[in-house]
Amino acid sequence: MVSNLTGDNRPGHRVEPGTQLGALEAYAAQAHGYLSVGGDQLNQLPGLLRPLVLESWLRSLRGGVDPMDILDGRGLRGSDLQRYRDNHPIAAVMPLVDKLLLQDATGIGLIVVVADQFGRVLSVHGNPDRVEAAAEVGLREGDDLSERRIGTNAVGLVVRTGRATWIHGPEHFLHRMHQLTGAAAPVHDPDGRLAGVLMIAGGVRVARPEILALVKAAATAAEMDLVLSAVRTEQRGGPRPVADRPAARTTGRLALEVLGLGQPQLSVDGERIALSQRHAEILLLLAEHVEGLSADHLALLLDDTDLDNATIRAAMSRLRSVVGPEVFGSRPYRLRVPVSTDVEALRAALDSGDVHSAVHHYTGPVLPRSTAPGVIDIRDELRVRLRTAVLRSGDAAVLGRWTSGAEGRDDAAAWVAYRATADRDSALYAQIEAKIRVLDRRIGADATQMQRFGS
């Protein structure tokens, strides 16, 4: 069935002139050989993989993804998937996606995958034989394509980086996806947050610039459609339903603190309340999704395995007993009072280009002990944004603060950038240089420790 998906007898068949895909495939296949051997051979990977792919492979390794992973029964299925898909924001733009993407792509034997902001597949479109073949390699409705679950793939990279990209053949971390090529692009909501991912997938013909351009154009059009929909909703106006109005008994804003290793805290009119991990996760996710979350959606953001609606209702009931019943609305769950967060403050500093304030706000990762998929995505997004801003700043004070904290203590790139700000004859320069040498030795030792990976 896989041959029906690719339309080719081998990955390099009918490679377009000038694309050099044959060389890419050969190098990536060689990299998989080194991966199976492990140990010192892993030092060869940087010379064989594109930088974006290499970074993703290394994250996949650290995350314990098995390249030989086989399909299992995990995923959202049946009526649960249908409800989640129907209530997802991407559903509003599917007629446009059908017009701009599905008809053209599926007409030439490719498939179109629509995923949510976390990489979960909402729908797969195309010729039934192609869709069936895609399911056999792991492109099934309801499955999780995030990088942390299945390693390097186009959808997972878009979720991780927020940028359009393509992954070809053996660049995929999983062996079962090696006959697949995917070109994917992000769809953002009117507030700039990732709403979903569109991907065209198939054989080697997908690895053409015009295919990536096509999916990017469709994603941009979908974003504009979401903006127009929001404008139309606002123009209809009128007072909000009573259930959505701030409760009269709340006299001030609520402030949520979730950064760092300390206990999550909620300030209510100046009174600080210690929160459990789960209650902090729920409050943060609702603060991030001001439009509200259905029970199904909230369950997926909290736990992507088998968290049911009864468990969600029980958790919300307990949270209401802590913060008061007037704070939340239902169907969907949403905040009825303003809640500010230290995550929001950090984002505001980054948006304004105030890296000094951003580093000051960042006391540590977002709920570092949380394994909730929605929280992990927020955590990763903030860390990547902040680290990028720090490295680009070239500011000695900013780099000094970053490298003195837990997140930047072993960040070799940050130490190199910090060294560039110091006087070569200073004691500080010598200290930084010594730290860089320690990190270089440690990186070599870490590669050696991975020698049992393939055993």
Side-chain angles (χ1 to χ4, degrees):
M1 290 301 298
V2 173
S3 62
N4 287 337
L5 172 63
T6 63
D8 304 323
N9 295 324
R10 58 188 177 86
H13 185 55
R14 290 185 296 190
V15 172
E16 290 295 307
T19 59
Q20 298 183 327
L21 289 183
L24 182 150
E25 292 163 3
Y27 289 143
Q30 187 178 356
H32 274 282
Y34 288 135
L35 191 65
S36 65
V37 174
D40 293 336
Q41 297 298 315
L42 294 178
N43 293 326
Q44 305 296 322
L45 296 182
L48 298 171
L49 299 170
R50 291 187 287 149
L52 178 73
V53 177
L54 173 63
E55 292 171 5
S56 179
W57 273 38
L58 294 177
R59 288 193 298 267
S60 302
L61 282 169
R62 291 193 296 268
V65 180
D66 182 356
M68 303 306 295
D69 174 63
I70 60 175
L71 284 176
D72 55 36
R74 290 181 297 183
L76 198 61
R77 304 283 184 254
S79 59
D80 289 337
L81 173 61
Q82 188 64 49
R83 280 196 305 272
Y84 179 58
R85 180 167 52 211
D86 292 345
N87 292 319
H88 196 276
I90 287 293
V93 300
M94 282 308 298
L96 179 68
V97 173
D98 178 69
K99 179 180 179 180
L100 297 180
L101 199 59
L102 304 187
Q103 296 174 10
D104 289 342
T106 59
I108 58 174
L110 304 177
I111 63 170
V112 173
V113 176
V114 181
D116 71 4
Q117 66 271 42
F118 308 108
R120 185 174 297 278
V121 178
L122 298 176
S123 56
V124 181
H125 308 266
N127 178 283
D129 288 341
R130 301 288 200 275
V131 172
E132 183 180 352
E136 291 186 1
V137 302
L139 297 184
R140 301 179 298 186
E141 293 185 347
D143 277 12
D144 183 355
L145 300 186
S146 65
E147 185 185 78
R148 64 185 181 81
R149 176 56 61 83
I150 68 165
T152 307
N153 70 96
V155 169
L157 273 172
V158 171
V159 170
R160 175 84 189 191
T161 67
R163 299 189 299 273
T165 192
W166 61 280
I167 294 295
H168 175 61
E171 288 187 314
H172 288 92
F173 194 72
L174 296 188
H175 280 259
R176 59 178 160 87
M177 303 183 81
H178 281 190
Q179 295 189 60
L180 174 75
T181 299
V187 177
H188 297 94
D189 67 17
D191 293 327
R193 293 178 297 198
L194 185 65
V197 181
L198 302 179
M199 178 173 74
I200 295 178
V204 71
R205 76 185 78 178
V206 176
R208 298 178 179 176
E210 57 265 32
I211 296 296
L212 184 59
L214 174 63
V215 74
K216 288 169 66 176
T220 300
E223 290 175 345
M224 294 303 299
D225 204 47
L226 288 174
V227 170
L228 292 175
S229 178
V231 170
R232 287 193 294 267
T233 300
E234 183 176 344
Q235 287 175 340
R236 285 195 292 267
R240 288 183 294 173
V242 173
D244 293 337
R245 294 177 188 166
R249 283 189 288 168
T250 301
T251 60
R253 291 178 65 90
L254 281 66
L256 178 64
E257 299 174 19
V258 293
L259 290 171
L261 295 173
Q263 172 116 22
Q265 300 278 337
L266 180 69
S267 296
V268 182
D269 294 334
E271 178 185 355
R272 292 170 66 84
I273 301 172
L275 296 175
S276 69
Q277 180 88 0
R278 178 46 52 88
H279 288 166
E281 290 169 346
I282 292 173
L283 275 173
L284 175 62
L285 291 170
L286 291 178
E288 291 281 300
H289 296 266
V290 294
E291 73 282 5
L293 294 168
S294 67
D296 290 332
H297 195 173
L298 182 57
L300 281 173
L301 296 178
L302 291 171
D303 188 326
D304 57 7
T305 54
D306 56 0
L307 202 62
D308 57 29
N309 288 356
T311 304
I312 293 296
R313 287 194 296 269
M316 292 300 298
S317 178
R318 289 192 293 269
L319 182 53
R320 284 190 175 97
S321 70
V322 173
V323 301
E326 73 278 6
V327 173
F328 302 105
S330 300
R331 297 183 181 178
Y333 293 119
R334 65 190 304 166
L335 293 169
R336 295 168 58 192
V337 298
V339 176
S340 61
T341 69
D342 47 3
V343 167
E344 177 186 17
L346 175 56
R347 277 207 192 97
L350 289 170
D351 290 342
S352 66
D354 187 354
V355 187
H356 282 271
S357 295
V359 173
H360 176 75
H361 281 300
Y362 192 73
T363 56
V366 177
L367 295 175
R369 289 180 289 275
S370 174
T371 58
V375 173
I376 291 172
D377 288 328
I378 296 169
R379 181 193 303 151
D380 290 345
E381 173 228 336
L382 283 179
R383 185 188 182 281
V384 169
R385 283 196 64 190
L386 179 59
R387 180 176 181 270
T388 300
V390 167
L391 293 178
R392 289 176 177 173
S393 71
D395 187 295
V398 167
L399 288 160
R401 186 178 182 96
W402 175 255
T403 52
S404 66
E407 292 283 304
R409 191 172 296 135
D410 294 329
D411 187 339
W415 281 102
V416 170
Y418 191 19
R419 181 178 60 186
T421 68
D423 188 332
R424 293 184 62 90
D425 297 325
S426 67
L428 176 61
Y429 186 95
Q431 292 171 4
I432 296 173
E433 181 68 23
K435 176 67 176 182
I436 292 173
R437 291 177 181 175
V438 169
L439 291 176
D440 286 343
R441 289 195 296 271
R442 187 179 301 168
I443 290 171
D446 287 345
T448 301
Q449 289 296 318
M450 296 172 71
Q451 62 186 344
R452 292 189 297 172
F453 176 82
S455 62

